[in-house]
Amino acid sequence: MAFFTWEQKYELGIPEMDNQHKKWVAILNKFYDQVSKSDLKKNMLEMLDEALNYTKFHFREEEKFMASINYTNIDEQKRMHKNIITTLEDFRKTIISDKTITSMSLTNEMKKWFKEHILVEDKKYAEFLKQKK
Ligand SMILES: [Fe+2]
Ligand SMILES: [Fe+2]
């Protein structure tokens, strides 16, 4: 079974954003498979960098999208995106500095905030768009 199974409840009904979210889940699953067997620093850094890059890309695209629909809470979303990036960068520092962090806690943590962010914050702009129509 996949580490993170995509479910209908994550759908925003906005294909471009849904596809990016699905791609993010696929990245997390791929790396979970790669690192769950070992906590090798090299693997974890590679994993984190790919996730970090994709997260940055997605947030940029999402912020453009929110601006295009004149989403009123865009500043709040941007702040949360920033926090997530900071969290990922802190993980990166932790790995580099050889402090103990297991791939399990890393992937679980990423799964947790991703779920929460989509289900709560991203859903808000999807709902905003629905109301507008
Ligand atoms: Fe978001
Ligand atoms: Fe998102």
Side-chain angles (χ1 to χ4, degrees), residues 104-117:
M104 276 308 277
S105 63
L106 185 62
T107 43
N108 277 324
E109 193 60 32
M110 284 162 77
K111 181 180 174 182
K112 193 178 132 241
W113 61 246
F114 187 72
K115 266 183 167 178
E116 282 167 6
H117 184 74

Side-chain angles (χ1 to χ4, degrees), residues 3-130:
F3 171 66
F4 189 157
T5 311
W6 183 263
E7 290 172 60
Q8 182 99 46
K9 67 177 177 186
Y10 301 120
E11 306 255 332
L12 301 179
I14 303 162
E16 200 192 343
M17 293 300 121
D18 286 334
N19 287 337
Q20 288 180 12
H21 288 158
K22 281 179 191 161
K23 167 93 194 237
W24 201 95
V25 169
I27 289 174
L28 188 58
N29 279 329
K30 184 178 92 184
F31 282 118
Y32 176 79
D33 286 344
Q34 280 177 12
V35 302
S36 58
K37 292 153 210 119
S38 76
D39 286 326
L40 280 180
K41 187 170 161 178
K42 185 177 161 281
N43 287 357
M44 282 169 69
L45 272 182
E46 273 174 20
M47 165 188 150
L48 202 59
D49 284 340
E50 188 172 347
L52 193 54
N53 285 338
Y54 196 77
T55 305
K56 284 179 179 168
F57 162 78
H58 169 60
F59 286 171
R60 266 198 314 271
E61 293 299 306
E62 198 169 61
E63 287 167 14
K64 264 189 248 166
F65 177 78
M66 290 187 291
S68 78
I69 62 168
N70 296 315
Y71 180 51
T72 39
N73 274 329
I74 189 163
D75 289 342
E76 198 193 337
Q77 257 285 342
K78 279 187 180 170
R79 209 165 36 239
M80 286 177 185
H81 285 170
K82 247 187 155 175
N83 286 344
I84 290 173
I85 297 295
T86 306
T87 306
L88 286 176
E89 281 168 347
D90 285 346
F91 273 139
R92 200 177 192 284
K93 281 183 212 143
T94 307
I95 296 169
I96 289 174
S97 68
D98 278 328
K99 285 194 198 106
T100 312
I101 180 166
T102 64
S103 55
M104 276 308 277
S105 63
L106 185 62
T107 43
N108 277 324
E109 193 60 32
M110 284 162 77
K111 181 180 174 182
K112 193 178 132 241
W113 61 246
F114 187 72
K115 266 183 167 178
E116 282 167 6
H117 184 74
I118 294 188
L119 289 174
V120 180
E121 300 310 322
D122 288 355
K123 285 273 176 175
K124 286 186 191 165
Y125 73 72
E127 191 50 39
F128 173 85
L129 184 63
K130 243 188 259 165

